[in-house]
């Protein structure tokens, strides 16, 4: 009776050990921060990591309820760090209990396996962020009144939902950087993912710091909807390659989202903020309404949209060429087969070089023409 071989655990602090146990280590760190709330000595320090900071309360009358607003500051870095840990834990839970189980059933190749995991994680995030952002937009009047995007600028006072939304967005995209190592992303896929991760961090952080939270929110929600449709369509495509109708809807909405982004950006930076009553640069007041900042923000958005359209056009051209190349061999094969069936005589009708017709009939002899 042979002995069972035990799986050897990787050496402590090796790359494989860190990759296998990173979720447990991060969970212990997050639990340690939560346990710090139980002690009075550490609670005042740990509270910075867990709760949203810079609360400002206003009261209009003695009888009215106070209104709570939030600003941003250096302490937000600690809050973003804590929720980045939470994002890493949720990433590991979704990967282990949802995506890995589906992958075992589909039996995908290594390339499709990596893309399936990427689309699965992003589909969960885009769905959650779109629902959350849409609920904030319905509570506000940004959709019905576009002048609120630049009216009463700077918008340094945020509601709790708005600030927490931005904190979670920045934390998620920051967590995506170490996940490139934890998930063993292929080297050829790392540059592509780094591009869009850095673009998300730069644009969302820029909207948060420059007090353009309203514009950033109204641009993120339709963009997340388009990305949700794309990654959901890719998940269905990996399960069944015949399911490609979702990509057509994604292509249509993608172009519309780019036009909407450019329209609102030009309207806000080119007309709205340029005509505001209190132009001037003041870091203390959170006012960045100067020509240099407006042109820089508008140029960054336009260049990003142009780059996305360029990648989109190249992607569509590549798919179109592949479709044509797949159709050409089929046409040649059907043409050659039909041609060969017409020319080749039936070998069953030849016996010893002589033609044998059905029912024993003899072939007709041709009369020679008189010269």
């Amino acid at each position: 009776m042979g002995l069972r071989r035990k799986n050897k655990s990787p050496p402590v602090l090796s790359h494989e050990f860190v990759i296998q146990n990173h979720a447990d280590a991060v969970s212990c760190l997050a639990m340690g921060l939560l346990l710090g709330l139980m002690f009075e000595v550490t609670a005042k320090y740990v509270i910075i990591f867990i709760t949203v900071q810079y609360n400002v309360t206003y009261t209009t009358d003695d009888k009215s309820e106070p209104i709570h607003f939030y600003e941003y500051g250096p302490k937000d870095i600690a809050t973003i760090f804590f929720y980045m840990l939470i994002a890493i834990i949720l990433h590991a839970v979704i990967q282990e209990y949802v995506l890995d189980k589906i992958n075992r059933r589909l039996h995908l190749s290594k390339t499709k396996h990596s893309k399936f995991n990427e689309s699965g994680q992003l589909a969960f995030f885009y769905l959650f962020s779109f629902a959350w952002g849409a609920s904030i937009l319905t509570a506000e009047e940004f959709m019905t009144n576009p002048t609120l995007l630049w009216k009463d600028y700077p918008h340094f006072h945020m509601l709790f939902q708005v600030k927490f939304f931005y904190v979670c967005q920045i934390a998620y995209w920051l967590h995506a950087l170490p996940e490139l190592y934890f998930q063993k992303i292929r080297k050829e896929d790392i540059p592509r993912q780094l591009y869009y991760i850095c673009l998300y961090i730069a644009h969302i952080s820029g909207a948060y710091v420059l007090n353009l939270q309203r514009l950033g929110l109204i641009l993120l929600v339709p963009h997340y909807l388009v990305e949700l449709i794309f990654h959901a369509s890719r998940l269905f495509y990996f399960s069944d390659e015949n399911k490609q109708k979702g990509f057509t809807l994604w292509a249509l909405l993608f172009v519309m989202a780019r036009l909407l982004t450019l329209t609102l950006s030009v309207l806000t930076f080119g007309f709205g903020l340029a005509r505001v009553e209190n132009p001037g640069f003041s870091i203390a007041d959170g006012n960045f309404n100067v020509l240099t900042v407006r042109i820089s923000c508008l140029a960054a958005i336009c260049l990003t949209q142009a780059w996305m359209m360029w990648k989109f056009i190249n992607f569509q051209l590549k798919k179109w060429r592949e479709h044509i190349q797949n159709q050409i061999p089929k046409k040649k094969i059907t043409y050659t087969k039909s041609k060969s069936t017409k020319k080749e005589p039936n070998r069953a009708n030849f016996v010893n070089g002589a033609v044998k017709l059905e029912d024993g009939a003899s072939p007709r002899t041709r009369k020679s023409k008189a010269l």
Side-chain angles (χ1 to χ4, degrees), residues 59 61 188 359 363:
T59 54
D61 298 326
E188 53 268 25
D359 300 331

Side-chain angles (χ1 to χ4, degrees), residues 141-151 218 264 267-268:
E141 298 179 356
F142 302 151
M143 301 294 291
T144 58
N145 189 6
T147 58
L148 293 176
L149 296 176
W150 59 82
K151 187 179 180 181
I218 203 171
L264 292 177
L267 186 64
T268 302

Side-chain angles (χ1 to χ4, degrees), residues 91-290:
H91 189 114
V93 170
I94 294 173
Q95 183 66 44
E96 183 176 355
Y97 293 100
V98 180
L99 298 180
D100 286 346
K101 291 183 178 180
I102 299 175
N103 277 322
R104 295 190 191 100
R105 296 179 180 179
L106 297 179
H107 304 288
L108 300 174
S109 61
K110 290 184 178 180
T111 304
K112 291 184 177 181
H113 179 81
S114 177
K115 292 182 178 180
F116 182 88
N117 290 335
E118 179 190 1
S119 294
Q121 294 287 347
L122 290 176
F124 276 103
F125 170 72
Y126 287 138
L127 178 61
F128 175 75
S129 298
F130 170 73
W132 189 6
S135 65
I136 297 174
L137 288 180
T138 53
E140 302 296 328
E141 298 179 356
F142 302 151
M143 301 294 291
T144 58
N145 189 6
T147 58
L148 293 176
L149 296 176
W150 59 82
K151 187 179 180 181
D152 298 330
Y153 181 85
H155 309 134
F156 52 87
H157 288 156
M158 296 174 282
L159 296 174
F160 172 79
Q161 289 290 338
V162 176
K163 177 166 183 175
F164 194 49
F165 177 82
Y166 272 93
V167 168
C168 293
Q169 292 295 312
I170 298 172
Y172 179 86
W173 291 113
L174 285 176
H175 112 280
L177 294 174
E179 285 294 342
L180 297 176
Y181 170 73
F182 294 147
Q183 297 297 323
K184 295 182 180 181
I185 303 300
R186 299 185 308 164
K187 291 183 178 179
E188 53 268 25
D189 292 337
I190 290 178
R192 177 183 60 83
Q193 296 190 24
L194 271 178
Y195 287 151
Y196 70 76
I197 291 172
C198 293
L199 284 174
Y200 275 117
I201 294 173
H203 284 75
I204 296 174
S205 301
Y208 184 68
V209 173
L210 298 176
N211 290 319
L212 297 169
Q213 298 90 358
R214 298 179 181 180
L215 178 64
L217 184 62
I218 203 171
L219 294 182
L220 274 177
V221 171
H223 174 74
Y224 280 168
L225 175 62
V226 175
E227 294 299 312
L228 172 62
I229 293 174
F230 172 75
H231 288 285
S233 302
R234 194 156 74 163
L235 290 175
F236 286 117
Y237 173 76
F238 288 144
S239 62
D240 186 1
E241 294 186 356
N242 295 323
K243 297 179 181 179
Q244 300 184 14
K245 295 181 179 180
F247 292 107
T248 305
L249 178 61
W250 164 74
L252 179 62
L253 294 178
F254 183 88
V255 177
M256 295 176 62
R258 304 287 74 78
L259 294 176
L260 177 64
T261 301
L262 291 174
T263 302
L264 292 177
S265 301
V266 172
L267 186 64
T268 302
F269 292 108
F271 299 96
L273 293 176
R275 298 179 181 180
V276 78
E277 295 181 357
N278 56 343
F281 183 82
S282 177
I283 298 178
D285 297 333
N287 189 4
F288 301 93
N289 188 14
V290 292

